[in-house]
Amino acid sequence: MTYQLTLTVPGQPPVHRTVTGTTPVDLAQAVHHHARGLLGAQVDVHLDGLAGTVHRGTACVGEFTLDPIKETAGTPGPGRDDGIRWGWTLAELDDVVRRAVTRTHQYRACDADERYATGWHAAVELLYTALDPPSERDLYCAAWRAADYLTTRTAEERGVARSRGDTYTGRMDLPKWHAYWETVTRHTAGPEEPVVERLALTQIWPRLHPRYQAALHALAVHENYYAAADALGLKHCTFYAQVRHARNAFLALWWEGETPRRGWRDRRATTEPTQLHSISAHVRKRRRAGVAA
């Protein structure tokens, strides 16, 4: 039979739960697990008919009543035929899980439906595998921990480290994640870009003025504006102007019929030849300077 449990604790509003039982022992166990979940400590239930008291040691800490719930013919009573154990109903379990999965700010970092589903399955699993009636706190903690673990794992899959670092070593850069996603499974570019560039060069180059061709060719060979200008016998300012006009003409043909992008800056115009080194060269230079010091 199904009963409406009303549990009253001094200083707190009454708590209503639905319990089921056919014998006084079943009812006492159902009341006990709700009382323990509410009070959070070892308690004893004294049942006298459809009423009773809750004791902690020798002190009375609460009272309760059980009111029979009339069931409509052909309709199963809540908590009895809906597949929930230990007197729990779907509505009560849903309330516990929803409060658990929204307990911390982490619920914003993961899909809400996934967190709820994870917490729900954890609570149901505990409810059906427990040898003793689990308290409300037990179900609450099971749903909360499962949902937070899901959020943490989801963040790690996206490259966000845990607060304690990767594998509890204190590292926050997730080296294993980067080793997999940035090397083995990195997206590689297709052959389209180099093919398009080569075809475009062969089509645009003959359409450039010979003066522009000479300026670009000299700059490509000498890799330096001053040396290229001297090779063509031009003043530096004149050579700069020819290169600028040549690039503008080239880009006009390249972006023909499209919206042109923003141009780039050629560092060879302002950087001394002795400074055009790779990063490795700069590292070696710093090491030699440190040893000399």
Side-chain angles (χ1 to χ4, degrees):
M1 188 172 180
T2 305
Y3 298 87
Q4 179 71 37
L5 168 65
T6 303
L7 182 59
T8 304
V9 177
Q12 299 183 16
V15 176
H16 301 282
R17 294 288 186 269
T18 303
V19 298
T20 58
T22 56
T23 65
V25 176
D26 295 337
L27 293 175
Q29 290 180 349
V31 174
H32 180 267
H33 103 268
H34 287 294
R36 189 178 65 174
L38 177 64
L39 298 174
Q42 186 65 35
V43 294
D44 296 321
V45 173
H46 296 173
L47 179 62
D48 183 11
L50 296 180
T53 55
V54 180
H55 294 262
R56 182 184 297 143
T58 58
C60 179
V61 294
E63 299 178 351
F64 65 89
T65 58
L66 295 170
D67 299 320
I69 298 177
K70 295 182 179 180
E71 301 175 6
T72 305
T75 303
R80 186 179 65 181
D81 296 328
D82 58 2
I84 300 299
R85 297 186 69 198
W86 307 115
W88 282 87
T89 65
L90 291 173
E92 294 169 353
L93 191 61
D94 173 78
D95 177 67
V96 172
V97 173
R98 289 187 182 277
R99 286 189 286 110
V101 299
T102 57
R103 177 181 182 273
T104 64
H105 66 279
Q106 288 189 355
Y107 75 92
R108 302 184 184 92
C110 185
D111 184 78
D113 292 335
E114 292 183 2
R115 278 183 61 87
Y116 175 81
T118 303
W120 172 267
H121 287 293
V124 171
E125 182 179 5
L126 175 62
L127 195 64
Y128 275 83
T129 57
L131 300 179
D132 297 322
S135 65
E136 180 177 339
R137 181 179 179 84
D138 295 334
L139 298 174
Y140 180 93
C141 291
W144 161 38
R145 290 167 182 165
D148 280 5
Y149 180 77
L150 170 69
T151 303
T152 302
R153 295 300 300 173
T154 302
E156 288 180 343
E157 293 172 359
R158 297 174 181 175
V160 180
R162 290 177 289 190
S163 58
R164 286 176 288 185
D166 184 48
T167 62
Y168 300 99
T169 61
R171 299 188 61 177
M172 302 299 292
D173 54 351
L174 291 175
K176 295 181 180 178
W177 186 89
H178 289 286
Y180 179 78
W181 291 106
E182 297 296 335
T183 56
V184 180
T185 60
R186 174 183 289 182
H187 174 72
T188 56
E192 296 83 3
E193 185 173 348
V195 171
V196 170
E197 290 180 351
R198 288 183 174 87
L199 290 177
L201 179 61
T202 58
Q203 295 174 2
I204 294 176
W205 187 260
R207 300 175 62 181
L208 293 177
H209 193 279
R211 183 170 63 252
Y212 297 158
Q213 293 180 0
L216 294 177
H217 183 267
L219 182 60
V221 171
H222 295 281
E223 287 287 334
N224 182 275
Y225 279 81
Y226 297 99
D230 294 339
L232 295 179
L234 301 175
K235 294 182 179 180
H236 297 163
C237 59
T238 303
F239 181 73
Y240 290 153
Q242 286 191 3
V243 171
R244 183 177 70 255
H245 293 314
R247 285 175 173 167
N248 292 337
F250 188 95
L251 292 177
L253 296 173
W254 177 277
W255 296 109
E256 188 175 12
E258 301 181 31
T259 302
R261 298 179 184 175
R262 184 178 179 181
W264 67 91
R265 180 181 179 183
D266 192 349
R267 290 180 54 84
R268 291 173 297 187
T270 57
T271 305
E272 295 296 332
T274 56
Q275 298 181 6
L276 294 176
H277 299 301
S278 64
I279 296 178
S280 299
H282 284 290
V283 172
R284 291 193 297 268
K285 182 178 179 181
R286 291 176 183 175
R287 289 177 179 175
R288 289 195 297 268
V291 172

